Amino acid sequence: MKGIVSQSIKEVLQSLVDDGLVQADKIGSSNFFWSFPSQQGTAIQARVNALKETHKNHQIQILELRSAISVEESARLDSEARSVALAKLSDLRRELDSQEAELNAYGDSNPAKVDELKRAVFLAKEAALRWTDNYGTLAGHFTRQNGVALQDVRKYLEIGEDYEDIC
């Protein structure tokens, strides 16, 4: 077996065994692998039969549920209280839809959006504080290490005189 790595053969055989395309058995100190053409067809046929049985059971359940629904619908009395409740439900749904449309129309005044914006501002402020703190630490270290004036560092980094620490 020149040019073929035995580990790759083991990997290929193991993947075939995992996929159920090849059977494996250990007899003594040897591993035997085999596959019969009819074995895969038999497995597929068994799976098809199981799925057909499941489909048949689901169809029976659907018929039972439909008959139960029709029995319950026929047993339900159209009373005045039910009619009033259905009308109230319809009115409440329309009111909810109109209020949601009004809330969407205000957009920026939406409390959820305002809370989201507040969170974004907080995160931006935290990031700005972190960067200014990093700048201050780095500038202090650089001036101590190299004996350079802070004004020279600011000039080199093009940081204007109007810069101030946010802390």
Side-chain angles (χ1 to χ4, degrees), residues 117-135:
L117 188 59
K118 283 181 182 178
R119 174 139 174 80
V121 167
F122 175 77
L123 291 175
K125 182 179 178 188
E126 288 294 315
L129 288 171
R130 185 173 43 254
W131 279 103
T132 55
D133 186 44
N134 289 346
Y135 164 73

Side-chain angles (χ1 to χ4, degrees), residues 22-91:
V22 172
Q23 301 299 317
D25 202 1
K26 184 170 181 137
I27 301 174
S29 63
S30 300
N31 290 324
F32 291 92
F33 300 92
W34 69 92
S35 177
F36 298 115
S38 64
Q39 188 175 9
Q40 187 177 8
T42 305
I44 290 172
Q45 189 61 42
R47 187 164 182 222
V48 166
N49 291 339
L51 289 173
K52 282 182 179 178
E53 185 65 29
T54 303
H55 181 264
K56 180 180 167 186
N57 289 338
H58 287 156
Q59 292 296 348
I60 291 171
Q61 275 185 323
I62 288 172
L63 290 175
E64 289 173 354
L65 289 172
R66 284 184 179 160
S67 67
I69 288 172
S70 63
V71 166
E72 290 298 322
E73 283 178 345
S74 66
R76 181 173 40 198
L77 299 174
D78 284 334
S79 66
E80 188 174 326
R82 184 173 185 282
S83 298
V84 169
L86 287 174
K88 184 176 179 181
L89 175 64
S90 176
D91 290 342

Side-chain angles (χ1 to χ4, degrees), residues 60-167:
I60 291 171
Q61 275 185 323
I62 288 172
L63 290 175
E64 289 173 354
L65 289 172
R66 284 184 179 160
S67 67
I69 288 172
S70 63
V71 166
E72 290 298 322
E73 283 178 345
S74 66
R76 181 173 40 198
L77 299 174
D78 284 334
S79 66
E80 188 174 326
R82 184 173 185 282
S83 298
V84 169
L86 287 174
K88 184 176 179 181
L89 175 64
S90 176
D91 290 342
L92 289 173
R93 284 186 178 161
R94 275 194 298 267
E95 183 179 344
L96 176 65
D97 289 341
S98 69
Q99 287 180 353
E100 284 179 348
E102 184 179 347
L103 184 62
N104 289 335
Y106 288 121
D108 292 338
S109 299
N110 184 343
K113 289 183 180 179
V114 169
D115 288 342
E116 184 179 327
L117 188 59
K118 283 181 182 178
R119 174 139 174 80
V121 167
F122 175 77
L123 291 175
K125 182 179 178 188
E126 288 294 315
L129 288 171
R130 185 173 43 254
W131 279 103
T132 55
D133 186 44
N134 289 346
Y135 164 73
T137 304
L138 186 62
H141 175 74
F142 190 77
T143 55
R144 282 191 304 275
Q145 194 75 8
N146 297 317
V148 179
L150 182 60
Q151 297 302 333
D152 294 337
V153 173
R154 283 186 170 183
K155 183 178 178 184
Y156 179 77
L157 294 176
E158 298 177 359
I159 298 174
E161 293 295 325
D162 59 342
Y163 173 81
E164 63 180 71
D165 234 346
I166 299 177
C167 299

